[in-house]
Amino acid sequence: MKRKPWSLIVLALLHVFAPIGNLILNALRSGRTLPQQWTYWFEILPKPLLLLYVGVPILAGIFIYICRRWSYWAYLACIALVLLSNLYSYWTSMNWNTLVVLIAVLLVDVLIVAYFVVPSVQQVYFDPRMRWWEAAPRYNFNQEGTVNGAKAFIKNLSQGGLFLTAGPELAEGDKVDVYWKFDDHETVVSGLVVYRVNRPGSEGWGVRFEHTNESQRQVKRAIDKLHSDNKIVAERLPGPEDSFGAWLKKLVTKGEGLFPKFKS
């Protein structure tokens, strides 16, 4: 996954534009024209209800897009408020038309909540490691150095960490001190081994830096040089396969892409 999942982007946009649908549905339900419904909303409707019809769906879309643990729960709270507003609308105007609309809205709400309790969707919000699109740009480094005093080889580097393909035997959770000399500058930075790759042709360890102000400055100096030399790891950048068109085609033809899928 090289960009934010399109399924979440689309859902966020649908929520942001939901007030337009609310305006149309309320106009049809009340027998008003769209201009009349607009006037009713902004001149007659109590402001708390206006906030429910207009502000809450927009906030819900923003919370979806933010992709954080707190925004997950904030989004579900918004859905609950939307449900309460529709129940209130039905209570104040009980008829078969409003009942049909209420049932339709309830079904949509249930489907949306069911989507967000799927484990792969929850992971996006609960586990920062799943938000690959937020990772700092990574650069090909291919530099010899040392890890805890032993010789090592650093394959790539970012402001937040690096990937070793040779060095002392390490395990997840190990603390390390990494040293290298690059572009006539020495760098010393501490870190934590956060994962190990043990696949043929792709062995190594991922290290997350635990920066001091000095090490942050030293690593940034190396990153700036690598960036100016165009050493960015192109495979980590979004490509044609990550476009909206490619996602939509896969969704329609193969039924894939509705739920986030991550590859390490």
Side-chain angles (χ1 to χ4, degrees):
M1 180 64 61
K2 298 176 184 177
R3 68 162 72 245
K4 185 171 294 186
W6 279 110
S7 54
L8 297 182
I9 295 174
V10 170
L11 277 173
L13 289 174
L14 287 175
H15 280 74
V16 168
F17 290 106
I20 298 175
N22 285 340
L23 180 69
I24 295 172
L25 284 175
N26 279 272
L28 292 174
R29 187 172 57 190
S30 61
R32 303 185 183 100
T33 64
L34 289 179
Q36 288 173 336
Q37 186 63 36
W38 179 273
T39 300
Y40 176 79
W41 267 15
F42 287 91
E43 295 184 7
I44 301 174
L45 193 70
K47 293 301 182 278
L49 282 180
L50 179 63
L51 178 63
L52 284 172
Y53 289 146
V54 179
V56 171
I58 294 175
L59 279 176
I62 294 172
F63 291 145
I64 290 174
Y65 190 80
I66 289 174
C67 291
R68 291 293 186 275
R69 180 185 291 268
W70 67 265
S71 73
Y72 179 89
W73 298 113
Y75 169 71
L76 293 182
C78 286
I79 289 296
L81 286 174
V82 170
L83 175 60
L84 289 174
S85 70
N86 282 282
L87 288 172
Y88 176 83
S89 295
Y90 174 69
W91 182 262
T92 57
S93 180
M94 291 185 182
N95 56 60
W96 284 110
N97 289 334
T98 55
L99 179 60
V100 170
V101 171
L102 177 64
I103 292 173
V105 169
L106 286 174
L107 287 175
V108 171
D109 286 347
V110 168
L111 288 174
I112 290 175
V113 171
Y115 177 83
F116 278 92
V117 299
V118 171
S120 64
V121 178
Q122 282 187 327
Q123 275 187 300
V124 175
Y125 292 85
F126 289 7
D127 189 346
R129 294 174 300 177
M130 297 296 102
R131 299 193 286 270
W132 299 111
W133 62 90
E134 295 180 350
R138 191 166 290 269
Y139 296 86
N140 291 305
F141 197 39
N142 298 321
Q143 183 77 21
E144 289 186 348
T146 65
V147 173
N148 294 341
K151 288 184 178 180
F153 187 80
I154 305 166
K155 181 175 177 58
N156 53 55
L157 176 71
S158 75
Q159 186 63 41
L162 53 77
F163 186 72
L164 302 166
T165 55
E169 187 65 25
L170 299 170
E172 290 185 19
D174 284 353
K175 290 185 177 294
V176 294
D177 292 313
V178 185
Y179 164 87
W180 69 79
K181 185 176 182 180
F182 173 69
D183 196 33
D184 293 328
H185 293 287
E186 295 184 338
T187 298
V188 179
V189 59
S190 297
L192 184 73
V193 178
V194 292
Y195 66 89
R196 179 178 181 178
V197 177
N198 194 21
R199 296 191 300 267
S202 185
E203 299 87 356
W205 300 268
V207 174
R208 183 183 68 222
F209 293 147
E210 296 180 338
H211 277 303
T212 62
N213 290 336
E214 177 61 20
S215 70
Q216 193 165 26
R217 183 184 64 80
Q218 292 174 345
V219 172
K220 184 179 185 303
R221 181 172 55 205
I223 291 294
D224 289 344
K225 174 61 176 174
L226 293 170
H227 184 77
S228 66
D229 291 342
N230 197 29
K231 296 293 186 179
I232 193 166
V233 179
E235 291 81 4
R236 295 175 65 92
L237 297 175
E241 71 279 4
D242 298 295
S243 68
F244 174 75
W247 170 79
L248 185 62
K249 181 179 179 180
K250 186 181 293 186
L251 180 65
V252 173
T253 60
K254 299 181 179 180
E256 298 177 0
L258 183 60
F259 301 103
K261 185 177 181 181
F262 304 95
K263 297 179 180 179
S264 60

